Amino acid sequence: QVQLVESGGALVQAGGSLRLSCAASGRTVSSYGMGWFRQAPGKEREFVAAISGSGGRTDYGDSVKGRFTISRNNARNTAALQMDSLRPEDTAVYYCAARRIYYTSRTPNDYNYWGQGTQVTVSS
């Protein structure tokens, strides 16, 4: 069983930066694909970014490509999301997720484990 805990959410101004972290426990997740999703009130959960087990491949949603960077540190059993050039439209609860398959996925149902979420609010 894997537990995921996100941290780093905050209130920031448009144009600013924020780094979210995801700490995994219970099992080593070095062979698991990891992802970040977000959900704003009244909207579907949206794919943000994913990374393969080794960190060798990454994938990004169109709305964040070029602004956000996903990474992982398997020695520390963690993943991170660096968010730059933040916009008010990025305001959402951000969730870290893990799946037992090595490869990236954009589909929430492919993920087996989820964190509790962390709030990111971007003011104009």
Side-chain angles (χ1 to χ4, degrees):
Q1 193 65 235
V2 174
Q3 296 82 46
L4 303 174
V5 179
E6 304 97 333
S7 62
L11 171 64
V12 298
Q13 292 185 351
S17 296
L18 200 60
R19 186 176 180 88
L20 306 182
S21 64
C22 175
S25 61
R27 293 183 181 181
T28 297
V29 295
S30 59
S31 64
Y32 289 31
M34 302 286 293
W36 288 93
F37 293 79
R38 66 188 184 187
Q39 190 163 26
K43 293 189 175 182
E44 292 185 338
R45 187 162 296 190
E46 178 187 15
F47 170 73
V48 176
I51 189 166
S52 63
S54 68
R57 295 190 182 275
T58 58
D59 188 25
Y60 296 93
D62 289 343
S63 65
V64 307
K65 193 171 299 181
R67 299 189 297 121
F68 291 9
T69 304
I70 189 171
S71 62
R72 67 191 299 159
N73 186 331
N74 285 337
R76 301 181 67 176
N77 222 31
T78 60
L81 184 70
Q82 177 67 42
M83 304 184 294
D84 298 318
S85 301
L86 283 163
R87 305 166 180 168
E89 310 92 87
D90 296 318
T91 295
V93 176
Y94 283 71
Y95 297 92
C96 177
R99 73 192 201 109
R100 295 182 64 188
I101 305 302
Y102 188 85
Y103 307 103
T104 59
S105 174
R106 296 183 172 192
T107 305
N109 283 348
D110 285 346
Y111 289 82
N112 305 106
Y113 309 104
W114 293 83
Q116 82 289 347
T118 187
Q119 177 71 48
V120 173
T121 303
V122 184
S123 62
S124 60

